[in-house]
Amino acid sequence: MGTKAMKSEPRVTQRTLFSWIYKRHIKLQLLLLVIICITVASRVLPLELQKNIINDAIGMRNVDLLLLYSGLYIGFVVLAGALKYVINLLQTYIGQQTLRAIRRDLFNHIISLPLPFFRKTPPGSVINSTVTELNPVGEFIGQAISTPLVNILTFLSIVGFMFYLNPVLAAMSMVIYPATLILLPWLQRRMNNANRRRINSNQAISGVIGESIGGVQEIHANASFRLEDRKFKKYLDALYKNTFAVNAYKFGIKFHNNFFQSLGPFILFLVGGYMAIQGRMDIGAIVAFLSAYEKLYDPWKELMEYYQTYQDSRVRYSQVMNYYDTIPAYLALPAGRDPHKMIGRIDIQNLSYEVNGNIRLLDRINLSIQPGEMVGLVGFSGSGKSTLALCIAQIYSYTGGSLKIDGRELDQLTKADMAVNMGMVAQHPFIFEGTLQDNLLYSCEAQRLQGKACFSQDTELELDRIIEMVQQVGLYLDVLSFGFRFTLDPEQDEKMVGHILHARAMFLKNYSQQLEGDFEPFNPDRYILGQTVTQNLVFGCSAKPGFTLDTLSTNPLLLEFLDKQGLTTPLTELGYAIAARTVDVITSLGKGQELFADSAIPEEDFEEYADLVHRVEPDDLARLVEKDQRKLVKLGLDFVAASNAMAHISSELMQRIVASRPVFRERAESLAPGVFQFYNKEAYIPSESILGNILFGVARSDVAGAEERIKQRVMQALIEEDVLDRVLEYGLRFNVGSQGDRLSGGQRQKVALARVFLKRPPILILDEATAALDNASQARIQHLLERNFKGKSTVISVAHRLDILKGYDKIAVLKSGSILEIGSYAELIAKKGAFYELAHGR
């Protein structure tokens, strides 16, 4: 199966390198032509002026001529340099603009390729091809016309001037250039072959790196570091060998160019000197000829470099384009019409799907689905149920039979037709880097770009729909939790800051006594066990961007303050106790990475602290060198009593730290005004989250359920303040991380479900879309499907849990790529066939 119509514009992979040059920026290329002509003249005229300065001005002792010719000389030199600068800028602009177009067209082509293509193409290879390998292509395109033109004209002009000065000497000087035209291509061909091998090695090593990073969890689980190193070394050796060969030929070409450049002056000195001695050539002509010959090398050198760049770019371009020269299975957009509107009738007859020529994953499938029906696909692993769903979704291209939607054969429909009418949720959905809201609206935004909006243009209505859907799929508390963690900018969110401060007052008034054992309030007279010693001492936060309290432990002013307050010694003792206990525990348990997750000592610093503990006895702490003392003081300052069981902070030290707060504040305000913002019930804390600001304290991590009880009360305070929806908006701004790695598996599936439910497609395909959810969440989603989609959308669900299919209209049971039986849940149970066996685990 495949594309039935072709675009008038050829695929990007079938365009020649020079097609990008001749079809873009024609006006700029013409402007370059004009600048080049002026540049050539400004390069040659100074050569004639050199001869005139020596023969006419200096030889005739004419100062006026000397000044005139010298002024003209420097003027043409400056003009030539300025015009060369302009040419370089225009070349760069043209090259980078065209490279951007190539990359964009190639990227759009690559993401439209069939899924089987990506099974043999690692992401690293795609990245390397589209980014690194195409860089020289952009440079070549920018200079493709201007560089050969300006240098050929310059070369010919200088050669003409040399024949004007002395035809014999010029002819002898030109003899060496045909020789170089024979040797250079020979070297270049070998360099091209080596370069092709280098590019292939580069792609291979990118793939290996991408695979290792993608499977790093498996590598850690198997401790297969040496195995991966051996695999990586094999490709690294090939890359080294091929890169070395490329550079060897490249340096050989440079040697060739430099050698032939030196032959010219040799001929000039030998023959020209003889002619001058014989009186057949004046000194001015010799100087001008020598200068001309030296300048002749510049355009020749640039032409040779251009030739090398062309060969390199041609190889790279052809390698990249040939690799991706695969025809997309389906057209992206319909020609001359809008996407079809479908009701969701699906007719499948004798459908087959083969891979690798003869492996049949689907075998003569027959299935009829009416609009609005809910159909379940079940079977043991490898039965073909997911493959069938992916064929219906136009993800796989079936290889035999017929699959029609609303009477239209699937391979006649474009991707846009399917996207407008179909939504799909996979077992392992992909979440894109960006905000939670970006991911929830991903399908709708794609629709909007095709002129098919999911919502009206009312932003508030759109937000209401998002929040409603977030509630329905069970993401509400997660989004609210993300919102609680949001940090406001007091200048940009002044009104919201006022609401938060008012909510704080209500919270502390109404709930602080109820939650007395669940959190520690910021009390200037009490030590806060859930904070570090540094935070307790400062009793505030940083007000200076880029400055954090974590860096304060190494500040000389703080260390001086600790000495004056008599805190250095007890903090050193506390740091030593933490270090000794941590080193003892981690050493005895085997230094596993999991032990360092909650350790006060980072893994990279462990050996230093272990050495310190072994060198120093507790009785020797008073005689520590300054470096060791600072290390221990830092451990003491970073100590959190509530969560670090490796040591104990005495009540006396806690009282001394609390007593030092006002002294520290006074000193900080005099020496570093504006650096700290000290806790105040009436003031917003910029570095704290919304939750932290309302709580005005620290939740007890050692009390079960404390955080949830606190969040419930904070939620009530926000409802009373009528800003809970605003906090939810902040939660929707949460950045989910690369591939959604800041979300749990269940959260990722809920995001994917909400994403497709917001789209409300006429056809909905769920490929084990609730596999990562708990039973309650699965039941919620099933209830949502039956309430909002049954009878309104065609739902096809691949499922392992059979009990969730009780309300479905029909269930198809597959085995080895064929349908064994079809019927409702009750009918199939009563039949006591394959479905009955699946349901009873037989």
Side-chain angles (χ1 to χ4, degrees):
M1 317 304 288
T3 306
K4 299 299 183 184
M6 295 299 293
K7 298 180 182 179
S8 57
E9 181 75 17
R11 293 194 307 275
V12 60
T13 53
Q14 292 194 327
R15 293 187 61 178
T16 65
L17 177 58
F18 280 93
S19 69
W20 296 98
I21 298 166
Y22 298 131
K23 292 184 180 180
R24 299 178 65 87
H25 307 293
I26 299 301
K27 292 182 179 178
L28 281 179
Q29 300 283 16
L30 292 174
L31 174 61
L32 268 175
L33 180 61
V34 174
I35 296 173
I36 285 167
C37 293
I38 301 172
T39 303
V40 171
S42 62
R43 280 183 170 185
V44 176
L45 286 173
L47 300 174
E48 177 66 15
L49 287 169
Q50 284 182 6
K51 186 185 76 169
N52 293 338
I53 287 172
I54 293 173
N55 290 344
D56 297 342
I58 298 175
M60 299 175 62
R61 300 173 183 260
N62 190 326
V63 176
D64 292 336
L65 280 178
L66 178 63
L67 294 174
L68 174 62
Y69 290 154
S70 297
L72 289 172
Y73 177 87
I74 193 63
F76 283 122
V77 169
V78 171
L79 177 61
L83 291 176
K84 180 63 176 176
Y85 175 74
V86 173
I87 290 172
N88 287 337
L89 285 181
L90 288 174
Q91 286 177 343
T92 302
Y93 176 80
I94 292 171
Q96 292 305 310
Q97 285 282 329
T98 308
L99 180 59
R100 183 174 69 172
I102 294 174
R103 281 175 170 157
R104 187 175 181 182
D105 288 357
L106 181 59
F107 172 78
N108 287 326
H109 171 75
I110 290 171
I111 61 175
S112 72
L113 295 179
L115 256 64
F117 174 85
F118 294 99
R119 293 200 186 102
K120 64 181 179 64
T121 306
S125 295
V126 179
I127 295 167
N128 184 61
S129 297
T130 54
V131 178
T132 307
E133 293 300 334
L134 287 177
N135 271 331
V137 176
E139 294 177 14
F140 168 73
I141 288 173
Q143 58 179 292
I145 293 177
S146 58
T147 295
L149 188 60
V150 69
N151 287 295
I152 288 172
L153 290 177
T154 302
F155 185 83
L156 293 176
S157 298
I158 294 175
V159 168
F161 179 73
M162 290 167 63
F163 272 93
Y164 156 73
L165 290 174
N166 192 303
V168 175
L169 194 56
M172 294 181 68
S173 299
M174 291 297 103
V175 168
I176 63 174
Y177 284 93
T180 195
L181 291 175
I182 296 172
L183 184 57
L184 186 63
W186 183 85
L187 288 169
Q188 188 66 53
R189 280 194 300 272
R190 278 147 183 79
M191 179 176 167
N192 289 347
N193 292 332
N195 202 22
R196 288 189 185 94
R197 295 193 297 271
R198 184 199 61 78
I199 291 172
N200 290 334
S201 298
N202 229 0
Q203 290 176 338
I205 203 168
S206 297
V208 170
I209 294 172
E211 184 180 58
S212 296
I213 298 303
V216 70
Q217 181 173 330
E218 197 68 20
I219 293 170
H220 278 264
N222 292 282
S224 54
F225 307 110
R226 290 187 177 179
L227 178 63
E228 291 300 313
D229 174 64
R230 186 175 65 184
K231 188 195 307 180
F232 183 67
K233 180 180 180 298
K234 172 186 171 184
Y235 290 96
L236 200 62
D237 289 346
L239 178 62
Y240 158 75
K241 178 181 176 182
N242 294 324
T243 303
F244 185 86
V246 168
N247 283 288
Y249 284 116
K250 183 169 70 174
F251 296 140
I253 290 170
K254 285 187 176 181
F255 169 77
H256 158 274
N257 290 336
N258 292 333
F259 175 73
F260 278 97
Q261 181 198 9
S262 302
L263 284 180
F266 168 75
I267 295 171
L268 176 62
F269 293 142
L270 185 64
V271 180
Y274 176 79
M275 295 175 74
I277 292 170
Q278 296 294 318
R280 292 161 55 189
M281 193 172 186
D282 57 57
I283 298 300
I286 290 178
V287 172
F289 195 97
L290 178 60
S291 181
Y293 187 85
E294 288 178 347
K295 290 191 177 298
L296 186 65
Y297 179 69
D298 291 336
W300 178 257
K301 178 184 176 184
E302 290 195 29
L303 283 170
M304 294 302 99
E305 289 176 351
Y306 169 81
Y307 178 72
Q308 288 179 266
T309 303
Y310 162 64
Q311 293 293 338
D312 182 41
S313 300
R314 183 176 64 83
V315 170
R316 290 172 184 263
Y317 183 83
S318 62
Q319 289 279 100
V320 170
M321 295 305 173
N322 288 340
Y323 188 82
Y324 298 105
D325 191 21
T326 301
I327 301 175
Y330 303 95
L331 289 176
L333 299 171
R337 64 171 175 83
D338 290 333
H340 294 303
K341 293 182 179 179
M342 302 179 186
I343 60 173
R345 184 177 70 254
I346 300 173
D347 295 299
I348 303 172
Q349 295 182 353
N350 294 319
L351 190 77
S352 298
Y353 176 60
E354 293 184 356
V355 295
N356 297 330
N358 57 5
I359 301 175
R360 183 165 289 193
L361 300 182
L362 295 178
D363 188 13
R364 296 187 296 278
I365 296 287
N366 290 283
L367 181 64
S368 179
I369 303 172
Q370 298 305 309
E373 278 191 329
M374 296 183 72
V375 177
L377 302 178
V378 302
F380 292 107
S381 296
S383 61
K385 54 188 183 296
S386 290
T387 303
L388 177 57
L390 292 170
C391 285
I392 297 172
Q394 212 188 56
I395 304 298
Y396 289 165
S397 300
Y398 51 99
T399 52
S402 172
L403 199 167
K404 294 181 178 179
I405 300 180
D406 289 4
R408 300 182 183 91
E409 193 65 39
L410 187 68
D411 68 348
Q412 298 288 338
L413 298 173
T414 66
K415 284 294 184 182
D417 292 319
M418 299 300 291
V420 168
N421 295 281
M422 184 176 291
M424 181 173 181
V425 183
Q427 180 180 358
H428 303 289
F430 192 89
I431 304 299
F432 293 90
E433 198 280 332
T435 68
L436 188 62
Q437 184 165 332
D438 290 339
N439 275 279
L440 290 169
L441 292 178
Y442 184 82
S443 295
C444 289
E445 184 62 23
Q447 295 284 83
R448 186 176 296 160
L449 291 175
Q450 296 177 24
K452 306 290 180 181
C454 296
F455 314 108
S456 69
Q457 296 302 312
D458 189 331
T459 304
E460 289 189 12
L461 181 62
E462 177 181 293
L463 185 62
D464 289 343
R465 279 279 311 279
I466 294 172
I467 292 175
E468 179 187 7
M469 187 54 63
V470 158
Q471 288 178 313
Q472 290 178 351
V473 300
L475 260 178
Y476 185 85
L477 291 178
D478 299 286
V479 177
L480 188 61
S481 180
F482 298 149
F484 281 156
R485 288 189 238 162
F486 191 81
T487 303
L488 294 174
D489 184 332
E491 294 182 2
Q492 295 183 5
D493 301 286
E494 186 177 353
K495 187 175 180 181
M496 188 63 179
V497 165
H499 286 301
I500 297 301
L501 289 175
H502 197 259
R504 176 197 289 174
M506 285 193 296
F507 174 84
L508 294 177
K509 178 182 177 182
N510 298 333
Y511 307 120
S512 60
Q513 289 187 343
Q514 296 178 24
L515 302 171
E516 185 175 3
D518 290 337
F519 81 106
E520 299 176 275
F522 289 146
N523 186 328
D525 299 321
R526 290 182 60 183
Y527 187 91
I528 303 162
L529 298 174
Q531 287 193 322
T532 66
V533 172
T534 302
Q535 290 170 323
N536 269 282
L537 184 62
V538 175
F539 196 65
C541 61
S542 169
K544 184 178 178 182
F547 175 79
T548 63
L549 295 188
D550 294 338
T551 62
L552 192 61
S553 59
T554 58
N555 189 294
L557 291 178
L558 175 69
L559 298 175
E560 180 186 345
F561 174 80
L562 296 176
D563 281 338
K564 289 184 177 180
Q565 294 298 118
L567 294 172
T568 300
T569 298
L571 286 174
T572 302
E573 293 170 352
L574 176 61
Y576 184 85
I578 297 168
R581 181 64 178 151
T582 303
V583 168
D584 180 56
V585 169
I586 291 180
T587 301
S588 62
L589 294 179
K591 299 183 183 179
Q593 286 188 330
E594 67 281 358
L595 294 175
F596 288 102
D598 299 318
S599 168
I601 301 176
E603 185 175 3
E604 60 271 19
D605 297 335
F606 180 79
E607 295 302 330
E608 288 189 39
Y609 279 102
D611 175 67
L612 193 156
V613 169
H614 293 145
R615 285 188 290 105
V616 178
E617 296 293 332
D619 297 337
D620 296 333
L621 293 180
R623 296 184 294 277
L624 280 175
V625 297
E626 184 180 0
K627 179 183 176 182
D628 289 341
Q629 186 183 59
R630 287 193 175 190
K631 283 181 176 294
L632 295 178
V633 168
K634 184 181 187 309
L635 272 187
L637 288 170
D638 293 341
F639 178 75
V640 180
S643 59
N644 193 323
M646 293 295 183
H648 171 73
I649 183 170
S650 67
S651 57
E652 180 188 355
L653 180 54
M654 288 192 286
Q655 290 172 5
R656 292 177 64 181
I657 290 168
V658 171
S660 298
R661 285 174 180 170
V663 184
F664 178 87
R665 178 170 183 168
E666 181 181 351
R667 185 170 177 81
E669 287 178 339
S670 64
L671 294 178
V675 170
F676 300 99
Q677 179 178 334
F678 300 97
Y679 293 147
N680 181 340
K681 276 190 180 182
E682 310 304 320
Y684 187 82
I685 308 170
S687 64
E688 280 285 347
S689 64
I690 289 175
L691 179 64
N693 265 285
I694 295 175
L695 183 60
F696 196 67
V698 178
R700 292 278 300 273
S701 59
D702 56 334
V703 177
E707 188 172 348
E708 292 307 314
R709 288 190 292 272
I710 289 169
K711 285 182 178 179
Q712 287 291 332
R713 296 295 180 262
V714 168
M715 194 188 309
Q716 290 176 14
L718 291 170
I719 291 172
E720 291 177 36
E721 193 64 19
D722 196 27
V723 290
L724 186 64
D725 281 353
R726 188 70 185 277
V727 176
L728 281 167
E729 288 184 50
Y730 294 139
L732 291 171
R733 295 186 203 173
F734 174 73
N735 192 300
V736 299
S738 175
Q739 300 184 32
D741 62 0
R742 298 178 69 189
L743 301 176
S744 68
Q747 287 172 334
R748 286 197 288 270
Q749 273 201 327
K750 289 176 182 177
V751 169
L753 287 162
R755 178 164 66 194
V756 77
F757 290 164
L758 282 168
K759 183 179 174 181
R760 294 181 176 176
I763 303 172
L764 180 60
I765 297 178
L766 306 175
D767 186 5
E768 299 187 39
T770 59
L773 303 182
D774 55 46
N775 291 339
S777 297
Q778 284 195 356
R780 175 198 290 268
I781 298 301
Q782 195 56 44
H783 177 70
L784 179 63
L785 282 170
E786 294 179 5
R787 185 185 67 203
N788 291 357
F789 289 89
K790 190 169 186 177
K792 302 173 186 176
S793 296
T794 301
V795 178
I796 301 171
S797 180
V798 177
H800 269 307
R801 282 191 55 187
L802 305 185
D803 57 311
I804 67 173
L805 302 176
K806 290 181 178 179
Y808 278 53
D809 298 294
K810 64 179 68 167
I811 300 168
V813 184
L814 287 86
K815 182 178 181 180
S816 301
S818 299
I819 294 179
L820 297 181
E821 54 188 17
I822 301 176
S824 68
Y825 187 93
E827 290 171 346
L828 294 176
I829 288 292
K831 188 177 179 181
K832 293 192 175 181
F835 183 78
Y836 181 86
E837 293 181 3
L838 279 172
H840 290 81
R842 296 181 183 175

